[in-house]
Amino acid sequence: MRSKAIAVSILFALSAPAVAADAAAQKLAQDAVIVDTHIDAPGGLTDHWAELGKDALKFEFDYPKARKGGLDVAFMSIYTSAKQDDDGSAWQVANEMIDAVEALAARNPDKFALLRSPKDVERLRQGGRVLLPLGMENGAPIGDDLSQVQFFFDRGVRYITLAHSAANRIADSSYGVERKWHGLSPFGKKVVAEMNRLGIMVDVSHISDESARDTIAASRAPVIASHSAFRHFTPDFERNISDELAKAVAEKGGVVQIPFGIAFVNPKSAADTQAHFRAIDELNKRNEALKAAGKPLESKDAFDEAWAKAHPAPPTKIDAVLDQIDYAVKLIGVDHVGIGSDFDGVGGELPDGLRTVADFPNLVAGLQARGYKDEDIRKILGGNLLRVWTAVEAAAR
């Protein structure tokens, strides 16, 4: 996966999608309010500047693609890594990404608008604007200072993924071999309470099962999984949500947002991803021993490059995502399912027919072909997430 796991080249398949969008699907995609809770464009902007108000070839999200696909609300992921948490740079990196999103909207006021509340969606999207709320992926920038939750709320963050690829001061990671807290930390419980107070959605994607259980129990507002597929399809891959936890999210009134990345929806790729994090853990242990012995360290970049070559993403069709949605609807109900693509965050490892934000009509066509009513498709595309966000705001008030 991208800078989060394995850096790979962005590849766009030439094959036709398994389900091509007809006029009815195109019309519904343009008319419905589509909300994608996880797009990693800010990381790309800080790595390689681009004008996303125009067609940006290296990005899966930009304004022309978004309008072609009918995307209205694109949560910009403010992602920081475990390494940045360790070296103390997470707060700085997060603010730089927020600055990049604000600058993008300021340069293109006719194309983008910052979004702070679901009540402003209809007003701000008039004229074809794409709305940009912020989701913080990894609570590392908060550090151990509870006042930073308010700080980032004031900067526009409206959900926080409590941890990412390693335990932090808040919670354990699903990827971590060793568990630091076996749930939420004492500080993490204060963070969840503060998020409830302010009206920030609490996100249980990426965190361990123990941490997710604690979080769902501790939150007095509905919680979300911003980009989690179902573990039913990928046994032993804790990064994807279990049936038990998905039901708990739904019972709390929340929503599970389905990602598109092959690493989440393809069993072989999920197993490779899990193995990669285990291998990285072993590499880190070897480097600790080498450092203690005063010997040269193994290169993580070289390791990742070799791993990517040895574990290419398997061919995957859009059906893998549609199967996830089918399973979710049967398990927890159509009112608790949404989409969190992870575009620009998985190194181009995406299914045929879902390569960029321009491809949402293909997803609509696939759902229509499987017999979903338009009103239920609207819920999945964004209505459910907006309902949950509204409920989180109401709980704060």
Side-chain angles (χ1 to χ4, degrees):
M1 301 191 323
R2 231 186 118 265
S3 57
K4 300 178 188 177
I6 304 172
V8 295
S9 299
I10 294 179
L11 303 174
F12 293 94
L14 299 177
S15 56
V19 182
D22 59 13
Q26 295 278 0
K27 183 176 185 299
L28 182 55
Q30 292 298 325
D31 186 59
V33 178
I34 299 181
V35 181
D36 186 335
T37 46
H38 200 82
I39 295 177
D40 274 292
L45 286 175
T46 53
D47 290 343
H48 178 86
W49 188 88
E51 177 51 84
L52 299 188
K54 301 176 181 178
D55 190 22
L57 296 179
K58 291 186 177 182
F59 285 78
E60 291 147 6
F61 168 83
D62 59 36
Y63 183 79
K65 295 186 188 81
R67 294 319 309 146
K68 182 178 179 181
L71 176 61
D72 299 281
V73 180
F75 273 81
M76 297 285 99
S77 175
I78 307 304
Y79 162 71
T80 55
S81 68
K83 182 178 182 298
Q84 289 161 341
D85 190 13
D86 288 341
D87 67 22
S89 64
W91 188 87
Q92 178 73 22
V93 171
N95 280 286
E96 288 172 356
M97 288 187 182
I98 295 171
D99 287 349
V101 176
E102 290 179 343
L104 172 65
R107 287 194 307 273
N108 300 277
D110 57 329
K111 297 175 181 177
F112 297 111
L114 303 173
L115 181 64
R116 301 293 185 254
S117 171
K119 69 178 181 293
D120 296 326
V121 169
E122 286 304 321
R123 174 177 62 85
L124 291 177
R125 78 180 184 119
Q126 297 304 312
R129 293 186 189 89
V130 176
L131 309 185
L132 306 177
L134 305 177
M136 177 180 281
E137 187 178 21
N138 192 358
I142 295 168
D144 55 9
D145 181 356
L146 196 63
S147 70
Q148 291 300 309
V149 182
Q150 176 80 62
F151 173 84
F152 283 111
F153 175 83
D154 293 342
R155 291 225 65 188
V157 169
R158 289 301 179 267
Y159 79 71
I160 298 176
T161 314
L162 300 182
H164 190 258
S165 60
N168 58 18
R169 297 164 184 81
I170 299 169
D172 290 328
S173 166
S174 62
Y175 289 132
V177 176
E178 298 178 1
R179 302 298 158 94
K180 183 176 182 180
W181 304 109
H182 293 284
L184 282 178
S185 71
F187 178 67
K189 292 176 182 178
K190 293 179 181 179
V191 169
V192 169
E194 182 69 352
M195 291 170 68
N196 286 167
R197 184 185 74 81
L198 293 169
I200 301 175
M201 290 179 283
V202 181
D203 178 19
V204 299
S205 288
H206 276 290
I207 61 177
S208 70
D209 285 359
E210 291 175 306
S211 295
R213 288 189 197 100
D214 274 5
T215 300
I216 295 166
S219 178
R220 60 180 174 79
V223 305
I224 67 169
S226 67
H227 59 308
S228 289
F230 280 78
R231 201 179 305 166
H232 168 81
F233 297 92
T234 58
D236 302 320
F237 187 43
E238 193 175 352
R239 167 63 181 86
N240 279 344
I241 195 166
S242 70
D243 286 6
E244 172 204 349
L245 288 172
K247 289 177 181 178
V249 169
E251 288 167 4
K252 197 90 176 188
V255 64
V256 177
Q257 305 284 103
I258 307 295
F260 303 162
I262 290 173
F264 306 118
V265 301
N266 184 295
K268 181 183 183 305
S269 189
D272 286 346
T273 301
Q274 186 72 59
H276 176 259
F277 275 94
R278 296 292 183 262
I280 285 293
D281 185 67
E282 292 300 317
L283 173 66
N284 290 337
K285 289 178 180 177
R286 291 197 302 273
N287 276 338
E288 287 176 7
L290 290 169
K291 184 178 181 180
K295 297 180 179 179
L297 305 186
E298 293 183 41
S299 168
K300 186 178 181 299
D301 288 342
F303 173 87
D304 280 345
E305 184 178 353
W307 184 277
K309 288 180 180 178
H311 302 84
T316 305
K317 295 182 179 180
I318 191 174
D319 301 84
V321 176
L322 295 168
D323 290 345
Q324 292 272 349
I325 294 174
D326 278 348
Y327 185 80
V329 168
K330 291 174 183 175
L331 181 71
I332 58 176
V334 73
D335 292 325
H336 302 284
V337 184
I339 50 177
S341 66
D342 216 347
F343 280 132
D344 287 312
V346 291
E349 295 185 352
L350 293 153
D352 291 345
L354 285 176
R355 297 288 179 173
T356 76
V357 295
D359 292 333
F360 283 116
N362 295 335
L363 184 69
V364 173
L367 293 171
Q368 289 175 329
R370 294 191 178 205
Y372 285 84
K373 299 176 182 178
D374 283 2
E375 63 185 276
D376 287 337
I377 295 175
R378 289 175 184 271
K379 291 179 180 180
I380 294 167
L381 291 178
N384 290 336
L385 188 283
L386 293 178
R387 183 199 75 243
V388 171
W389 190 2
T390 299
V392 170
E393 279 197 350
R397 290 194 295 272

